[in-house]
């Protein structure tokens, strides 16, 4: 950006000198500035050649020097401006990668509440916690270090670490991972590891290593630099040799400036990024768009990505003497007064069935166990089986499939039935996978921390044959590094996904409800709770790259035509410089079409009605009473 600004200042000064009649001063000033930039680029060019890299630097240096030699100093200034502008556009986006760990580091627990032998509580930096320290973790706080639970009971949200969408119950003596979120009740723990050795810090280090291991992308335009340079110099050399006039060589190179190459791709990519942003898809760099256009493998996390990330009621099983709607209404009414993670799902299920919820004047929640309330004059108890059994001795436990949670209910001292909750498949997940297949993705994986019994039904419902379950963050990183064919896209949303998002060719974070850490380590962030935006992002990448290539080839074709005209002496240098600006304008206008890259329909998403997967189309209410085991 400083070079862009300086070029504009030099140009303004040159115009002022021309207006004052001091054309020689303007010519010398602009020429010296352009040659200085050419010298700097030449040093970069030599270093690149020594390392085996051939880019636009050679063509840019040649074009700048040739235009200065033939006196077309304004053309040399335009080349400098295009060169600096194109690099500035790329660096502005790439610079965000330096901040990708900021939110992850910000989320690292900073304080711990240490409890001394007298019971006094002191706030200390998390880094000062030592093994064996007794700590208090308040409701909804992040556990600062790996620790052992000393309280009798505890409930923790580990979804951002393991992908498990349901709250995890812990008993005294169980391990509690740093980075997990405590439930509604305060608990005490004993530190089993220092902060630097805890689970969350290990994830931070994985992200750091993954980010630094990514190979740099070769710019799209650089791939055409060598052949375009060879053709340009070949035409110019032949013109000089056949005419015997060295001016002919310069006249050809005046119209061989690489401005279409320098600016068309960055303009197209910025247009594509803008189009994606309007649709809730934030691309952090132009490289992401190009890699998305070539994506061949896509890996998905399960919870919060292919599934909704929140439990849904999939079954209401009343006991004899109770109606399903009656049970659902009373449970939903009582759960209005609970802060438990399942309460909102139970309340919402009742509302979706059109049941009017009643208020309670004496509702009381017993943290991590359940809630009691008087609803319409009836005593309602909802929660865990042991808690409900205290109020309804006739309670009978039921067994469920892995990945399901069961809520028990008692009404007026009698066991009334159960409600089953499960994290359901997103309604747009199947259409997303279909669209990705049409866009050239040949391999789809599910990579999750959940056990296979929980993840397999989701994978089967979506037609995903390749499932990797019970994966730790380091396992995910290894799988994605080894995955073929490439480029590999990884889609996730939790803290445990941050390392694998960073190491993948393109990491896509579901940022609407996912962790900030995942969003910051990803290359693409989807701001809406809509997994179909993954396919839309790939489609935008396809269209953007196609437009960029069309603009580049259009500019190259016109430039070669002008070079041929100049080689036979029909295009003076001054006219060639003016026509070259027309070529630049045509290339830029062509590239600007990318601002509508996201407007076209995506096959598989926009050409067929949405349908919920079979696994998600389950009856909410079981009209028949549940079959409970005999006493």
């Amino acid at each position: 950006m400083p070079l862009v600004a300086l070029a504009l200042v030099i140009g303004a000064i040159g115009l002022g000198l021309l207006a004052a009649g001091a054309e020689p001063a303007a010519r010398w000033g602009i020429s010296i500035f352009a040659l200085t930039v050419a010298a700097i680029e030449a040093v970069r060019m030599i270093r690149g050649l020594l390392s085996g890299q051939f880019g636009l630097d050679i063509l840019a240096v040649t074009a700048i020097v040739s235009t200065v030699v033939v006196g077309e100093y304004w053309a040399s200034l335009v080349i400098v401006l295009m060169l600096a502008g194109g690099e500035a556009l790329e660096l502005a986006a790439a610079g965000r990668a330096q901040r990708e760990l900021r939110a992850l580091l910000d989320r690292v627990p900073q304080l711990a509440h240490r409890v001394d032998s007298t019971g006094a509580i002191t706030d200390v930096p998390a880094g000062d916690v030592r093994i064996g320290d007794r700590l208090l973790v308040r409701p909804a706080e992040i556990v600062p270090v790996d620790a052992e639970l000393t309280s009798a009971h505890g409930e923790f949200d580990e979804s951002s670490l393991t992908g498990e969408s349901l709250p995890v119950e812990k008993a005294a003596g169980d391990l509690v991972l740093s980075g997990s979120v405590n439930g509604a009740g305060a608990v005490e723990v004993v530190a089993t590891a220092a902060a630097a050795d805890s689970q969350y810090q290990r994830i931070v280090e994985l992200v750091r290593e993954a980010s630094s291991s990514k190979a740099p992308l070769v710019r799209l335009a650089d791939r055409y630099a060598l052949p375009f340079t060879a053709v340009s110099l070949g035409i110019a050399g032949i013109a000089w040799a056949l005419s015997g006039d060295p001016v002919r060589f310069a006249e050809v190179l005046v119209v061989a400036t690489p401005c279409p190459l320098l600016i068309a791709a960055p303009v197209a990519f910025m247009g594509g990024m803008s189009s994606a942003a309007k649709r809730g898809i934030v691309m952090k760099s132009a490289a992401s768009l190009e890699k998305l256009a070539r994506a061949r493998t896509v890996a998905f996390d399960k919870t919060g990505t292919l599934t909704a990330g929140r439990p849904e009621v999939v079954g209401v099983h009343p006991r004899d003497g109770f109606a399903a709607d009656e049970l659902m209404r009373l449970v939903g009414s009582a759960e209005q007064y609970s802060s438990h993670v399942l309460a909102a799902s139970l309340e919402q299920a009742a509302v979706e069935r059109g049941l009017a919820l009643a208020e309670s004047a004496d509702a009381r929640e017993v943290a991590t166990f359940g809630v009691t309330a008087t609803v319409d004059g009836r005593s309602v108890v909802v929660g865990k089986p042991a808690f409900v059994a205290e109020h309804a001795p006739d309670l009978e436990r039921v067994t469920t499939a892995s990945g399901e949670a069961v809520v028990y209910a008692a009404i007026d001292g009698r066991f009334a039935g159960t409600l089953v909750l499960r994290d359901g498949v997103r309604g747009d997940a199947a259409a997303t996978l279909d669209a990705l297949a049409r866009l050239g993705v040949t391999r789809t994986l599910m990579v999750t921390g959940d056990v296979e019994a929980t993840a397999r039904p989701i994978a089967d419902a979506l037609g995903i044959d390749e499932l990797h379950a019970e994966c730790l963050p380091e396992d995910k990183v290894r799988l994605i590094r080894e995955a073929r064919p490439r480029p590999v896209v990884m889609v996730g949303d939790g803290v445990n996904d941050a390392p694998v998002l960073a190491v993948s060719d393109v990491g896509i974070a579901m940022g609407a409800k996912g962790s900030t850490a995942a969003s910051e380590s990803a290359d693409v962030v989807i701001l809406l709770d809509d997994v179909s935006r993954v396919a839309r992002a790939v489609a935008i990448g396809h269209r953007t790259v196609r437009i960029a290539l069309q603009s580049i080839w259009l500019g190259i074709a016109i430039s070669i035509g002008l070079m041929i005209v100049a080689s036979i002496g029909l295009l003076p240098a001054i006219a060639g410089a003016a026509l070259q600006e027309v070529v630049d304008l045509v290339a830029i206008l062509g590239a600007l079409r990318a601002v509508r890259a996201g407007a076209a329909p995506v096959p598989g998403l926009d050409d067929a009605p949405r349908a919920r997967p079979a696994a998600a189309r389950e009856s909410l209410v079981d009209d028949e009473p549940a079959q409970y085991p005999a006493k």
Side-chain angles (χ1 to χ4, degrees):
M1 290 307 298
L3 184 57
V4 172
L6 184 57
L8 293 174
V9 170
I10 295 294
I13 294 174
L15 290 174
L17 291 173
L18 283 179
E23 191 275 338
R27 180 175 70 251
W28 279 103
I30 293 175
S31 297
I32 292 173
F33 170 70
L35 290 173
T36 301
V37 173
I40 296 172
E41 289 296 318
V43 172
R44 291 173 53 184
M45 173 188 72
I46 294 172
R47 289 175 178 171
L49 289 174
L50 292 177
S51 62
Q53 298 176 352
F54 191 100
L56 287 171
D57 309 78
I58 294 177
L59 193 54
V61 169
T62 305
I64 291 172
V65 172
S66 64
T67 50
V68 169
V69 169
V70 299
E72 296 296 334
Y73 55 93
W74 284 110
S76 68
L77 182 63
V78 171
I79 297 171
V80 170
L81 188 60
M82 293 296 180
L83 176 65
E87 291 187 358
L89 288 173
E90 293 177 347
L91 291 174
R96 295 196 59 161
Q98 303 301 319
R99 296 175 287 173
E100 64 184 6
L101 296 180
R102 179 177 301 165
L104 188 63
L105 295 173
D106 287 345
R107 183 182 161 89
V108 173
Q110 302 296 320
L111 287 177
H113 312 301
R114 181 187 288 159
V115 183
D116 62 22
S117 57
T118 66
I121 299 173
T122 306
D123 288 348
V124 298
D128 292 346
V129 174
R130 298 292 177 261
I131 296 176
D133 281 356
R134 185 174 154 211
L135 306 174
L136 173 69
V137 183
R138 296 189 173 113
E141 281 190 340
I142 298 173
V143 179
V145 296
D146 290 353
E148 180 182 298
L149 182 65
T150 56
S151 297
H153 299 280
E155 196 167 73
F156 299 88
D157 178 1
E158 296 182 351
S159 58
S160 63
L161 291 171
T162 65
E164 174 54 62
S165 57
L166 299 174
V168 178
E169 298 180 10
K170 303 280 186 179
D174 287 347
L175 176 65
V176 181
L177 297 177
S178 64
S180 56
V181 181
N182 186 26
V187 296
E188 287 192 5
V189 298
V190 173
T192 58
D197 301 321
S198 293
Q199 177 71 14
Y200 198 91
Q201 190 62 40
R202 288 199 293 271
I203 291 178
V204 172
E205 292 305 317
L206 274 173
V207 176
R208 197 189 308 275
E209 294 171 7
S211 300
S212 62
S213 68
K214 275 192 176 181
L217 180 74
V218 177
R219 291 183 303 174
L220 179 66
D222 283 344
R223 302 172 193 173
Y224 301 90
L226 179 59
F228 186 61
T229 300
V231 170
S232 301
L233 293 176
I235 294 175
I238 292 173
W240 185 358
L242 293 180
S243 66
D245 184 2
V247 175
R248 195 71 59 83
F249 180 85
E251 289 175 342
V252 171
L253 287 186
V254 165
V255 293
T257 56
C259 293
L261 285 174
L262 290 169
I263 202 67
V267 168
F269 285 138
M270 294 301 284
M273 293 166 71
S274 174
S275 180
K278 292 176 183 177
R279 289 155 181 85
I281 307 166
V282 176
M283 306 274 184
K284 294 186 179 179
S285 70
S288 301
L289 274 172
E290 185 175 348
K291 290 177 181 178
L292 282 173
R294 297 185 290 111
R296 293 297 174 266
T297 300
V298 178
F300 289 91
D301 178 44
K302 181 184 77 69
T303 304
T305 305
L306 292 175
T307 66
R310 59 180 179 271
E312 296 179 352
V313 176
V314 296
V316 179
H317 306 291
R319 202 183 186 201
D320 292 337
F322 295 93
D325 280 354
E326 176 189 25
L327 176 61
M328 188 76 257
R329 186 182 73 84
L330 292 175
V331 167
S333 299
E335 289 294 336
Q336 294 179 100
Y337 304 95
S338 172
S339 60
H340 193 276
V341 67
L342 301 180
S345 298
L346 293 167
E347 181 183 350
Q348 181 180 357
V351 172
E352 288 178 350
R353 286 192 57 79
L355 304 174
L357 301 183
E359 295 184 357
S360 173
D362 63 350
R364 182 176 66 90
E365 181 176 23
V366 180
T368 76
F369 288 100
V371 61
T372 63
T374 301
V375 180
D376 291 342
R378 308 186 71 177
S379 174
V380 181
V381 181
V382 184
K384 295 180 180 178
F387 176 69
V388 176
E390 294 176 2
H391 303 268
D394 61 336
L395 180 141
E396 297 164 4
R397 292 176 181 262
V398 298
T399 58
T400 60
S402 177
E404 293 182 340
V406 180
V407 175
Y408 291 75
I411 299 174
D412 294 331
R414 293 175 54 211
F415 178 42
T418 58
L419 300 94
V420 180
L421 298 95
R422 185 193 308 148
D423 190 10
V425 178
R426 286 180 181 268
D428 48 8
T432 300
L433 298 181
D434 178 48
L436 288 172
R438 299 191 191 192
L439 289 166
V441 173
T442 58
R443 183 184 178 194
T444 305
L445 305 81
M446 181 191 291
V447 183
T448 178
D450 274 1
V451 296
E452 182 163 356
T454 301
R456 175 59 65 184
I458 304 296
D460 291 344
L462 295 172
I464 299 176
D465 297 325
E466 191 168 349
L467 168 64
H468 299 272
E470 300 183 58
C471 292
L472 296 173
E474 49 264 39
D475 297 325
K476 293 184 178 183
V477 168
R478 175 182 53 79
L479 285 167
I480 296 305
R481 276 184 171 152
E482 296 173 355
R484 294 294 184 277
R486 304 195 81 90
V488 177
V489 177
M490 175 67 198
V491 188
D493 75 323
V495 171
N496 64 318
D497 295 320
V500 71
L501 290 175
V503 78
S504 58
D505 295 317
V506 182
I508 301 180
M510 301 293 293
K513 295 184 299 181
S515 76
T516 310
S519 299
E520 286 298 318
S521 63
D523 304 292
V524 179
V525 180
I526 296 176
L527 302 179
L528 306 173
D529 189 24
D530 180 4
V531 74
S532 70
R533 305 286 163 154
V534 174
R536 205 167 295 280
V538 173
I540 290 174
H542 276 266
R543 295 179 189 130
T544 301
V545 169
R546 183 167 62 247
I547 289 171
L549 290 175
Q550 289 173 351
S551 302
I552 287 173
W553 279 111
L554 179 62
I556 288 176
I558 297 176
S559 293
I560 290 177
L562 292 176
M563 280 188 275
I564 294 174
V565 173
S567 68
I568 58 179
L570 300 179
L571 191 61
I574 295 177
L579 285 175
Q580 183 58 46
E581 300 312 308
V582 175
V583 175
D584 300 339
L585 181 61
V586 169
I588 291 172
L589 290 176
L592 284 174
R593 292 179 296 137
V595 298
R596 294 186 53 79
V602 179
L605 286 183
D606 302 320
D607 58 358
R610 295 284 183 91
R612 297 184 70 191
R617 292 197 304 267
E618 299 190 32
S619 174
L620 179 65
V621 173
D622 182 356
D623 293 329
E624 296 295 328
Q627 298 300 312
Y628 295 95
K631 292 186 180 179

